């Protein structure tokens, strides 16, 4: 297996290695990319009786899908106002309902397939780092009124009773959201795809394609696949195979670290099993793992992958700045991963041309949106629905290349400065 050294690799439930593609094979649909979007698409197609092949350049879940924070909650990387501005108010509401459906899909899949090793844990709490509880109450009211979705408002005293930090004020707790071991979940999906007759080839990067005829061909160094449908589901590690797709999003790096075992010390700061995220654009996200023995802490984004060890120092400063009582908590491991972000910060889901589909750009909110994205693409291929068209306003627009990366980094610094001033004014 070709996984980087992460907490998820160290706690992987099974180590089955899949073969590389060799020779010519045929199927109904070939999926390029064995992450969350690709495997969900393949699962839904296989459940409907299609013959499916997944081509993965490394091992299933090698990219951001298998090394993220593990948060499964509704929403997208951008806010509802931006979505409504681009798609319209009613479409925005339908799109948000899809994000809720994505959370339920993951939950039901874990239960149905008995993926116990995914270790789902209920509860995600989103905290404010400034004193403005009215905005959270208004948001909770809106979610209840429009979607029938309940969020629990927590006062500053309630927040600080479980998060022992004067950095935090108000919060919203989502009881239906949860967190989990994403790599074990992915490998559970892969097992089910294969049980249903699907084939997954690892170490099989797609190197060429012929897509203009009714029967498409995708090539690797060891073989080729003929299929009626091709689905591109690669993200931050996308190569040059599909230039239009590669130009439509930016690879953005984020970072995670894992603490030593220190349950008593951790409890002096964090007295909840909820996953926690703050309100900043590139804020901290963290949760206790192994029954509270360790702390998994993520944050920061960069437009170029930096050394995880160096970024771990910045993550530690964030952690200790929030929880001074954790200053002696040692870091055992740190890693990074590349997410894909479009300029509009929304997933890119749809049909590029007849029989050629894409499902990508889930940066920052992938575990629920990859699930619903894969489900929508499968529905489109099977002719069950055209719900994927809700994402038509968020197309494959050019992300700006190197200039786009520079703009993204400047935007990040600007947002950091705004967050800093807002907190100081609180």
């Amino acid at each position: 297996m070709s996984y980087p050294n992460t907490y998820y690799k160290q706690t992987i439930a099974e180590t089955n290695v899949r073969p590389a593609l060799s020779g010519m094979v045929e199927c109904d649909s070939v999926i390029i990319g064995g992450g969350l979007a690709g495997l969900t698409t393949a699962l839904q197609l296989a459940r409907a009786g299609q013959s499916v092949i997944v081509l993965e350049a490394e091992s299933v879940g090698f990219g951001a899908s298998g090394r993220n924070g593990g948060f499964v909650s509704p929403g997208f990387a951008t806010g509802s106002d931006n979505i409504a501005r681009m798609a319209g108010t009613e479409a925005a509401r339908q799109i948000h309902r899809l994000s809720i459906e994505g959370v339920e899909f993951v939950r039901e899949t874990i239960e149905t397939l008995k993926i116990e090793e995914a270790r789902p844990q209920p509860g995600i709490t989103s905290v404010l780092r400034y004193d403005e509880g009215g905005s959270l109450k208004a948001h909770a009211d809106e979610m209840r009124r429009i979607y029938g979705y309940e969020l629990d408002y927590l006062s500053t005293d309630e927040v600080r009773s479980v998060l022992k930090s004067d950095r935090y004020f108000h919060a919203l707790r989502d009881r239906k959201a949860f967190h989990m071991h994403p790599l074990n979940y992915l490998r559970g999906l892969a097992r089910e795809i294969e049980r249903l007759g699907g084939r997954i080839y690892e170490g099989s990067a797609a190197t060429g394609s012929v897509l203009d005829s009714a029967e498409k061909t995708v090539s690797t160094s060891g073989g080729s696949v003929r299929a009626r449908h091709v689905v591109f589901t690669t993200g931050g590690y996308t190569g040059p195979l599909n230039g239009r797709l590669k130009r439509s999003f930016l690879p953005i790096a984020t970072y995670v670290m894992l603490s030593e075992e220190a349950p008593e010390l951790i409890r002096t700061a964090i007295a909840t099993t909820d996953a926690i995220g703050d309100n900043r654009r590139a804020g901290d996200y963290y949760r206790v793992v192994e029954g509270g023995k360790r702390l998994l802490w993520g944050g920061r984004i960069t437009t170029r992958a930096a050394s995880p060890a160096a970024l771990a120092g910045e993550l530690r400063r964030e952690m200790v700045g929030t929880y001074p009582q954790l200053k002696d908590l040692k870091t055992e491991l740190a890693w990074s991963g590349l997410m894909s972000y479009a300029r509009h910060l929304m997933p890119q889901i749809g049909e590029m041309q007849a029989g050629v589909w894409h499902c990508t750009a889930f940066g920052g909110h992938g575990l629920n949106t990859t699930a619903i994205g894969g489900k929508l693409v499968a529905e489109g291929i099977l002719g069950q629905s055209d719900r994927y068209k809700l994402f038509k306003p968020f197309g494959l627009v050019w992300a700006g290349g190197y200039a786009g990366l520079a703009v993204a980094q400047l935007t990040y610094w600007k947002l950091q400065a705004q967050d800093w001033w807002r907190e100081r004014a609180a």
Side-chain angles (χ1 to χ4, degrees):
M1 294 185 297
S2 57
Y3 299 117
N5 190 20
T6 69
Y7 168 69
Y8 303 120
K9 179 187 178 183
Q10 292 184 357
T11 53
I12 198 169
E14 50 84 12
T15 57
N16 180 38
V17 177
R18 296 172 171 86
L21 176 64
S22 177
M24 167 69 75
V25 293
E26 295 185 353
C27 62
D28 293 320
S29 297
V30 58
I31 289 94
I32 300 173
L36 282 159
L39 292 182
T40 304
T41 306
L43 174 65
Q44 293 301 95
L45 292 173
R47 281 173 164 171
Q50 273 214 0
S51 60
V52 177
I53 288 174
V54 177
L55 299 178
E56 165 55 43
E58 302 285 348
S59 300
V60 293
F62 170 84
S65 291
R67 54 175 105 168
N68 55 72
F71 289 43
V72 189
S73 62
F76 296 91
T78 192
S80 57
D81 289 345
N82 286 336
I83 298 172
R85 179 175 53 80
M86 296 188 69
T89 301
E90 179 53 34
R93 291 177 177 176
Q94 293 182 54
I95 288 168
H96 187 80
R97 289 189 183 97
L98 287 177
S99 78
I100 297 172
E101 183 180 335
V103 174
E104 292 308 310
F105 177 90
V106 178
R107 188 197 321 279
E108 291 170 4
T109 301
I110 292 172
E111 294 172 355
T112 302
L113 302 185
K114 295 180 171 57
I115 311 176
E116 296 176 359
E117 63 272 25
R119 305 170 195 165
Q121 178 70 47
I124 293 180
T125 296
S126 300
V127 292
L128 279 183
R129 288 171 57 112
Y130 51 86
D131 193 358
E132 197 176 292
S135 62
L136 291 190
K137 291 178 181 178
H139 178 67
D141 289 342
E142 180 181 1
M143 292 296 292
R144 184 182 305 109
R145 175 173 50 83
I146 296 176
Y147 304 106
Y149 197 90
E150 296 290 334
L151 295 171
D152 299 326
Y153 168 77
L154 303 179
S155 68
T156 300
D157 288 343
E158 289 172 313
V159 171
R160 294 181 181 179
S161 69
V162 292
L163 303 176
K164 313 300 178 63
S165 173
D166 60 8
R167 288 285 181 90
Y168 296 145
F169 292 86
H170 314 268
L172 290 178
R173 182 174 189 266
D174 188 339
R175 288 169 284 170
K176 294 182 180 179
F178 61 99
H179 47 104
M180 68 171 185
H181 191 302
L183 185 55
N184 281 342
Y185 172 72
L186 273 166
R187 294 183 69 84
L189 295 187
R191 288 196 305 272
E192 179 65 5
I193 291 164
E194 290 171 328
R195 188 190 72 80
L196 294 170
R199 289 165 284 175
I200 301 174
Y201 296 102
E202 297 182 323
S204 301
T207 56
S209 63
V210 178
L211 306 175
D212 291 333
S213 61
E215 183 179 73
K216 290 81 166 72
T217 302
V218 177
S219 304
T220 73
S221 62
S224 59
V225 182
R226 290 177 181 167
R228 292 184 297 110
H229 296 277
V230 177
V231 187
F232 289 89
T233 62
T234 54
Y237 297 86
T238 295
L241 177 63
N242 188 317
R244 182 183 174 195
L245 192 67
K246 185 174 176 61
R247 290 190 296 271
S248 70
F249 53 73
L250 300 173
I252 303 294
T254 189
Y255 303 85
V256 186
M257 67 180 183
L258 179 73
S259 79
E260 63 178 338
E261 283 194 20
E264 293 182 4
L265 177 56
I266 292 170
R267 275 196 299 272
T268 66
I270 302 164
T272 178
T273 58
D274 280 8
I276 310 298
D278 70 46
N279 63 290
R280 295 174 297 171
R281 177 68 202 151
D284 302 321
Y285 53 91
Y286 54 92
R287 59 193 180 101
V288 295
V289 294
E290 297 182 4
K293 292 180 181 178
R294 300 179 187 273
L295 179 61
L296 187 150
W297 189 288
R300 295 287 178 179
I301 62 172
T302 62
T303 54
R304 297 178 185 274
S307 161
L311 266 295
E314 292 193 31
L315 294 181
R316 276 192 56 81
R317 282 191 289 276
E318 287 284 342
M319 180 186 74
V320 174
T322 303
Y323 296 111
Q325 60 270 52
L326 297 182
K327 66 181 186 306
D328 295 324
L329 183 65
K330 294 182 175 60
T331 299
E332 281 198 357
L333 184 64
W335 65 92
S336 66
L338 291 177
M339 309 176 290
S340 53
Y341 274 92
R343 283 174 58 186
H344 45 61
L345 302 181
M346 283 293 285
Q348 296 167 320
I349 300 167
E351 192 174 20
M352 301 174 68
Q353 62 187 75
V356 181
W357 301 76
H358 60 280
C359 186
T360 189
F362 298 101
H365 229 296
L367 283 171
N368 69 303
T369 51
T370 50
I372 197 59
K375 187 178 180 183
L376 296 184
V377 168
E379 289 175 1
I381 290 172
L382 296 167
Q384 295 174 342
S385 87
D386 62 356
R387 296 196 297 167
Y388 68 89
K389 291 182 179 179
L390 284 167
F391 289 87
K392 189 174 181 179
F394 314 104
L396 297 175
V397 295
W398 181 51
Y402 290 115
L405 286 170
V407 169
Q409 188 65 65
L410 287 170
T411 301
Y412 171 56
W413 288 336
K414 178 182 177 181
L415 291 169
Q416 277 191 313
Q418 290 174 349
D419 289 334
W420 187 87
W421 281 109
R422 198 170 197 177
E423 288 182 44
R424 294 308 177 275

